[in-house]
Amino acid sequence: MGKPDNRRDILLAEDDLDDVEIFEMALNDLALSYEIRHAKNGDQLLELLRERVPYILFLDIRMPCRDGIACIIEIRKHREYDRLPVIMYTSHQSKKIMETCFREGANFYMQKPDSIRELTGNLRKIFAIDWTSDLHFPPEDQFVISAGS
């Protein structure tokens, strides 16, 4: 019997291919063992979730077919995704949208930073949490992860 696979299965729902590339570069800087799957719209995301529940989901808000808010609402309706950490990953800075994501069950709201270094630092914070034993829902005043937070 082989040793267990310790790779983290990461699902990124993001329609901007430049943002996908930047995200992957930041992940590489963390030296994690991971497999990344990519959904380019909300409908494809839901298909990929049905195939296999990932270790963690990073979910953009502005996407075609079904936006990130519609996706988090749909995800939280299904018990099989109760243990799935969902990190909103977006350039939106609207307080109203942040409050909606918090209320609908996202675990964090991570703003897209200006540099790969900042993104790497933010991802380091996310992956410092042991999501397998603690589905972390911070208080609302700690919900947003941005550069320097």
Side-chain angles (χ1 to χ4, degrees), residues 9 28 43 45 61 63 89 91 122 126-127 129 134 145:
D9 179 17
N28 286 332
D43 290 346
L45 164 66
I61 290 179
M63 290 188 301
Y89 178 59
S91 54
N122 291 345
I126 296 293
F127 286 109
I129 298 168
D134 178 25
I145 296 176

Side-chain angles (χ1 to χ4, degrees), residues 88-129:
M88 304 309 287
Y89 178 59
T90 184
S91 54
H92 266 294
Q93 295 188 17
S94 159
K95 187 155 178 56
K96 184 179 182 206
I97 290 175
M98 291 175 194
E99 289 169 352
T100 299
C101 292
F102 180 81
R103 186 179 60 250
E104 296 300 340
N107 298 86
F108 280 105
Y109 189 99
M110 187 169 73
Q111 295 176 337
K112 291 180 182 176
D114 296 329
S115 73
I116 292 175
R117 189 175 66 78
E118 289 175 17
L119 178 55
T120 301
N122 291 345
L123 289 174
R124 189 171 281 116
K125 293 173 195 172
I126 296 293
F127 286 109
I129 298 168

Side-chain angles (χ1 to χ4, degrees), residues 44-118:
Q44 186 181 32
L45 164 66
L46 296 175
E47 287 175 31
L48 290 173
L49 280 176
R50 283 189 286 276
E51 289 173 16
R52 183 172 78 234
V53 179
Y55 174 77
I56 194 165
L57 166 63
F58 290 88
L59 177 56
D60 188 19
I61 290 179
R62 285 188 208 145
M63 290 188 301
C65 300
R66 193 185 302 232
D67 70 18
I69 292 176
C71 288
I72 186 72
I73 290 168
E74 184 64 26
I75 288 166
R76 292 304 185 218
K77 285 181 185 176
H78 299 276
R79 298 213 36 99
E80 64 266 29
Y81 306 130
D82 281 355
R83 305 276 315 147
L84 174 63
V86 178
I87 313 303
M88 304 309 287
Y89 178 59
T90 184
S91 54
H92 266 294
Q93 295 188 17
S94 159
K95 187 155 178 56
K96 184 179 182 206
I97 290 175
M98 291 175 194
E99 289 169 352
T100 299
C101 292
F102 180 81
R103 186 179 60 250
E104 296 300 340
N107 298 86
F108 280 105
Y109 189 99
M110 187 169 73
Q111 295 176 337
K112 291 180 182 176
D114 296 329
S115 73
I116 292 175
R117 189 175 66 78
E118 289 175 17

Side-chain angles (χ1 to χ4, degrees), residues 17 69 132:
L17 293 179
I69 292 176
T132 55

